[in-house]
């Protein structure tokens, strides 16, 4: 298991909860010394255009503080996907998040759809034919859903509030895929906005994904950070998820 991280993710690029000071420090602290950290290069505009419209790219470019960090976040998701293709699981500890970024617009603290770009890039390069994207953030990833609307090669699944382990297990059992990508949002946590998921639940979700990946797609799996806003518990819950996923 590798953690993909860049020191520039400490920069406060906006005044929203995903960009809040101290969030990345809190998330990274329990992972340091446990997992190897690797630094991603920034993504290119060409990578962004795999999913987004030129006008959306231009909109983000005009947000001078956001744009360079958003390119690093996409680069982090891409790096994690590349590590996964080598058979090693990876977690992109990145911000801004991405699952509310549609091809032509974005909201909810998102700018570029990190996970969608990473998956689309693997497909366009001929490295995979099919993928599933599992999302356990509190919020539905409308951007990811929109990015792959009408496509049969990429299926997006937002886990329900209850029975999510059974739902995840059934979903992964019944689909075929070459990689499992995960939008890992931690705002469903018991002590976060959702008040739903315990530390053990995150470990179990990770474990179910690992088992299916090992059985069905040569172990190829990667996850990217989406939401998660209680700094007191974010790192602990990420660590539990990675213990299951790894
Ligand atoms: Zn969320």
């Amino acid at each position: 298991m590798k953690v993909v991280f860049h020191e520039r993710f400490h920069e406060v690029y906006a005044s929203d909860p995903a960009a809040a000071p101290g969030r990345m420090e809190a998330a990274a602290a329990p992972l340091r010394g446990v997992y190897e950290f690797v630094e991603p290069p920034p993504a290119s505009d060409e990578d962004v255009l795999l999913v987004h419209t030129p006008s959306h790219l231009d909109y983000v470019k005009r947000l001078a503080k956001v744009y360079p960090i958003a390119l690093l976040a996409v680069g982090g998701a891409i790096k994690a996907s590349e590590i996964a293709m080598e058979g090693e699981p990876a977690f992109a500890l990145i911000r801004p998040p991405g699952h509310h970024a549609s091809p032509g617009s974005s909201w909810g603290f998102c700018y570029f759809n990190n996970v969608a770009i990473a998956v689309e890039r693997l497909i366009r390069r001929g490295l995979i034919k099919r993928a599933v994207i599992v999302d356990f953030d509190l919020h539905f990833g409308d951007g990811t859903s929109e990015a792959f609307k009408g496509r049969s090669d990429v299926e997006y699944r937002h886990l329900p509030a209850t029975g999510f382990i059974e739902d995840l297990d059934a979903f992964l059992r019944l689909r075929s895929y070459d990689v499992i990508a995960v939008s890992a949002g931690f705002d469903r946590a018991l002590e976060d906005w959702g008040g739903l998921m315990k530390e053990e639940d995150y470990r179990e979700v990770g474990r179910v994904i690992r088992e299916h990946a090992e059985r069905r797609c040569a172990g190829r799996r990667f996850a990217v950070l989406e939401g998660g806003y209680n700094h007191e518990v974010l790192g602990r819950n990420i660590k539990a998820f990675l213990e299951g996923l790894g």
Side-chain angles (χ1 to χ4, degrees):
M1 170 74 68
K2 284 196 173 72
V3 172
V4 182
F5 183 72
H6 199 287
E7 289 302 320
R8 288 198 70 183
F9 293 139
H10 293 308
E11 286 181 27
V12 177
Y13 55 84
S15 58
D16 65 52
R23 179 169 178 254
M24 288 290 103
E25 287 83 346
L31 311 178
R32 290 195 194 274
V34 179
Y35 300 109
E36 185 187 342
F37 277 50
V38 295
E39 199 169 272
S44 65
D45 286 352
E46 289 69 36
D47 294 324
V48 171
L49 291 169
L50 290 171
V51 164
H52 294 286
T53 60
S55 67
H56 184 68
L57 173 62
D58 287 342
Y59 154 71
V60 179
K61 271 187 182 176
R62 287 193 295 271
L63 306 170
K65 278 189 186 167
V66 169
Y67 175 60
I69 310 298
L71 284 184
L72 277 176
V74 175
I78 288 174
K79 181 81 179 170
S81 74
E82 290 173 346
I83 294 167
M85 290 307 291
E86 291 160 10
E88 184 180 4
F91 178 68
L93 179 57
I94 57 177
R95 68 175 192 180
H99 73 157
H100 296 307
S102 290
S105 63
S106 61
W107 69 288
F109 327 142
C110 298
Y111 299 92
F112 297 140
N113 196 314
N114 307 310
V115 76
I117 294 168
V119 165
E120 183 65 13
R121 185 175 166 279
L122 293 178
I123 290 172
R124 299 275 191 103
R125 295 196 167 200
L127 298 171
I128 61 166
K129 287 198 167 63
R130 306 175 66 84
V132 286
I133 302 175
V134 171
D135 188 338
F136 59 79
D137 191 272
L138 175 62
H139 307 98
F140 179 75
D142 56 309
T144 312
S145 172
E146 189 68 23
F148 296 107
K149 194 175 63 181
R151 294 261 299 263
S152 59
D153 55 342
V154 181
E155 193 169 350
Y156 170 77
R157 183 68 158 202
H158 185 245
L159 299 190
T162 55
F164 48 85
I165 298 288
E166 294 75 14
D167 186 84
L168 173 66
D169 188 52
F171 174 74
L172 292 176
R173 193 163 359 97
L174 296 170
R175 303 304 190 284
S176 60
Y177 40 83
D178 303 313
V179 69
I180 303 175
V182 185
S183 268
F186 293 86
D187 45 3
R188 265 186 215 221
L190 209 54
E191 307 88 342
D192 207 306
W193 295 351
L196 286 169
M197 280 177 77
K198 301 193 211 79
E199 192 179 335
E200 309 87 86
D201 294 327
Y202 287 110
R203 194 175 286 105
E204 182 68 0
V205 164
R207 188 189 65 76
V208 170
I209 292 168
R210 171 170 54 82
E211 284 188 0
H212 284 281
E214 285 174 346
R215 205 175 304 144
R216 308 282 302 285
C217 60
R220 291 189 290 257
R221 60 206 186 274
F222 71 98
V224 308
L225 181 65
E226 300 285 358
Y229 305 109
N230 183 343
H231 300 187
E232 299 290 312
V233 297
L234 178 58
R236 186 178 88 196
N237 287 333
I238 291 174
K239 185 159 181 281
F241 170 63
L242 296 187
E243 284 165 1
L245 186 69

